[in-house]
Amino acid sequence: MGISYLNSNNHPKAIEYFVRSIETSKDLSDDKESFQAQLNLAEVYIRDEQYDLAEAEALTYLERVKKLNLQNAIKRSYDVLGKIHIAKKDYELGFSYFQKGLQLALKGDSRVLKAHSYNNIAIAYFENGDLSLAKENFKKALNMRLKYNDLVGVTESYYNLGDWNYFQ
């Protein structure tokens, strides 16, 4: 439910359902998905520009998934932390989180996560005004997505390259 409310921009309801999910999962053992709501809640807070709350949720999630050694989940937490700091215009810290995510993605076998990581790096460069490195990384992401027929990712890459072209 929380995701539906988040996608429809009803943030108060999204928060309500994510908090319910978090509260419910406290009675469960820490399995792979029982606390995904924590990272989803961080996403709501980012959209609401409540960056301190977003960071607190993302760091709690990171701590939990590190204990379980869930590499893809750790990578996702780094992505969210990077997004928080880019939004706060702390480009150096945001970039460092995206770099950590990329390093984990490169060690794993998920082509989608690898391409997503290059896209994140590109966004960090773009937001910081380094358009040449942004384009280079947007193209890396696009080429990977084309190679593996990731249609949603391809669409995102073309959109990002369109933005890049507009600001050129």
Side-chain angles (χ1 to χ4, degrees):
M1 290 294 296
I3 291 291
S4 296
Y5 284 119
L6 176 61
N7 289 336
S8 66
N9 288 320
N10 186 338
H11 295 177
K13 279 291 202 184
I15 290 169
E16 176 188 336
Y17 278 93
F18 290 139
V19 168
R20 278 189 198 177
S21 182
I22 291 166
E23 290 299 317
T24 302
S25 72
K26 286 181 180 177
D27 296 333
L28 303 173
S29 64
D30 280 348
D31 67 295
K32 291 182 182 180
E33 300 302 324
S34 69
F35 44 81
Q36 179 64 38
Q38 196 112 44
L39 207 56
N40 294 335
L41 185 56
E43 290 282 355
V44 177
Y45 289 142
I46 292 169
R47 291 184 189 185
D48 285 347
E49 298 180 1
Q50 296 181 53
Y51 302 122
D52 291 339
L53 292 173
E55 186 170 18
E57 295 297 336
L59 288 171
T60 299
Y61 177 85
L62 176 60
E63 181 181 311
R64 294 175 84 182
V65 295
K66 277 186 170 181
K67 286 180 187 174
L68 298 171
N69 196 31
L70 300 172
Q71 297 300 303
N72 289 345
I74 294 168
K75 184 249 185 276
R76 285 193 304 272
S77 64
Y78 287 147
D79 290 348
V80 171
L81 288 162
K83 187 187 294 187
I84 292 165
H85 289 283
I86 294 299
K88 291 170 61 174
K89 300 196 183 325
D90 183 351
Y91 300 112
E92 187 175 326
L93 188 53
F95 186 79
S96 74
Y97 277 119
F98 286 153
Q99 282 289 98
K100 287 179 181 183
L102 175 62
Q103 294 310 310
L104 283 176
L106 292 174
K107 290 177 186 175
D109 58 0
S110 173
R111 299 180 303 246
V112 171
L113 290 180
K114 289 174 188 171
H116 187 259
S117 291
Y118 282 114
N119 191 70
N120 285 342
I121 297 290
I123 289 169
Y125 282 129
F126 184 86
E127 292 293 328
N128 197 31
D130 192 337
L131 298 182
S132 64
L133 285 173
K135 181 180 182 182
E136 178 184 320
N137 283 279
F138 280 140
K139 283 187 170 187
K140 279 183 187 178
L142 174 61
N143 290 333
M144 292 177 83
R145 290 165 165 172
L146 286 169
K147 181 177 179 181
Y148 299 113
N149 201 29
D150 174 7
L151 299 180
V152 172
V154 167
T155 302
E156 178 184 40
S157 289
Y158 280 129
Y159 177 85
N160 290 335
L161 283 165
D163 272 356
W164 176 91
N165 192 53
Y166 177 79
F167 287 100
Q168 222 7 235

